[in-house]
Amino acid sequence: MEKQSIKVTILADSIERIGNNRITTWQLTYPRFIHSELMTHRILSKNSASSRAIPFNKMVEQVENDPFIPIAWQKKHTGMQGYEYIIDEELINQCRLNWLGAKDKAIQFAKDANYNLQVTKQLCNRLLEPFMWHTIILTGT
């Protein structure tokens, strides 16, 4: 199975002969947590994969085999945007191990809810979202 990463593919790109108006369609893959930021832009047309529709076992398999893991760890800060990153290799490794431990616990809780408590995939898949890759088709001018 190919590992995911942040990527963009242009699926279609057209320029009007008269007027030079352009319309472009992209396929984007990014960490699921970025999705809410993209959804704030209403000028774009979007069609997105739904974690409510994907079968639970498939979602678990994706998160187990290819979880999203941050490539950089920002230091704790006030406000919405920080500018300092953790650079100590030992601390970065601890952050990564902590993240993967949280992923394992999320999978455990989601499996327990789905298999033992018979909770719908729509809720169980939500527990896995911080560790998911997300794909969307996006069109804009």
Side-chain angles (χ1 to χ4, degrees):
M1 179 163 142
E2 181 186 344
K3 296 289 186 184
Q4 292 283 354
S5 63
I6 295 174
K7 60 185 165 190
V8 176
T9 304
I10 295 176
L11 300 178
D13 189 28
S14 301
I15 301 174
E16 183 181 43
R17 289 180 203 198
I18 300 172
N20 291 328
N21 294 314
R22 182 178 215 149
I23 186 168
T24 306
T25 300
W26 303 268
Q27 179 176 322
L28 308 166
T29 299
Y30 49 74
R32 175 64 176 84
F33 72 85
I34 292 175
H35 189 60
S36 60
E37 304 303 324
L38 180 72
M39 294 304 289
T40 63
H41 300 283
R42 293 179 24 179
I43 195 167
L44 303 168
S45 295
K46 308 165 211 72
N47 186 357
S48 173
S50 171
S51 64
R52 295 183 311 128
I54 298 171
F56 177 70
N57 289 335
K58 184 175 180 180
M59 185 73 70
V60 169
E61 182 181 338
Q62 289 174 359
V63 171
E64 284 178 330
N65 294 332
D66 187 20
F68 161 70
I69 303 167
I71 59 172
W73 302 90
Q74 234 176 40
K75 289 184 178 182
K76 184 177 176 179
H77 58 85
T78 59
M80 290 181 64
Q81 183 63 45
Y83 300 97
E84 290 186 73
Y85 289 84
I86 296 170
I87 58 172
D88 178 86
E89 289 297 324
E90 185 176 325
L91 193 51
I92 290 170
N93 191 47
Q94 289 174 5
C95 290
R96 184 179 168 83
L97 291 174
N98 192 45
W99 184 268
L100 292 172
K103 175 210 47 126
D104 292 341
K105 287 185 181 198
I107 290 170
Q108 177 187 350
F109 290 133
K111 284 181 174 179
D112 185 50
N114 188 260
Y115 301 147
N116 299 328
L117 303 174
Q118 301 298 301
V119 174
T120 178
K121 69 179 177 190
Q122 294 179 13
L123 294 175
C124 296
N125 284 349
R126 297 279 188 205
L127 294 170
L128 305 176
E129 285 183 355
F131 311 99
M132 287 174 39
W133 291 98
H134 191 71
T135 300
I136 181 172
I137 305 298
L138 181 74
T139 300
T141 56

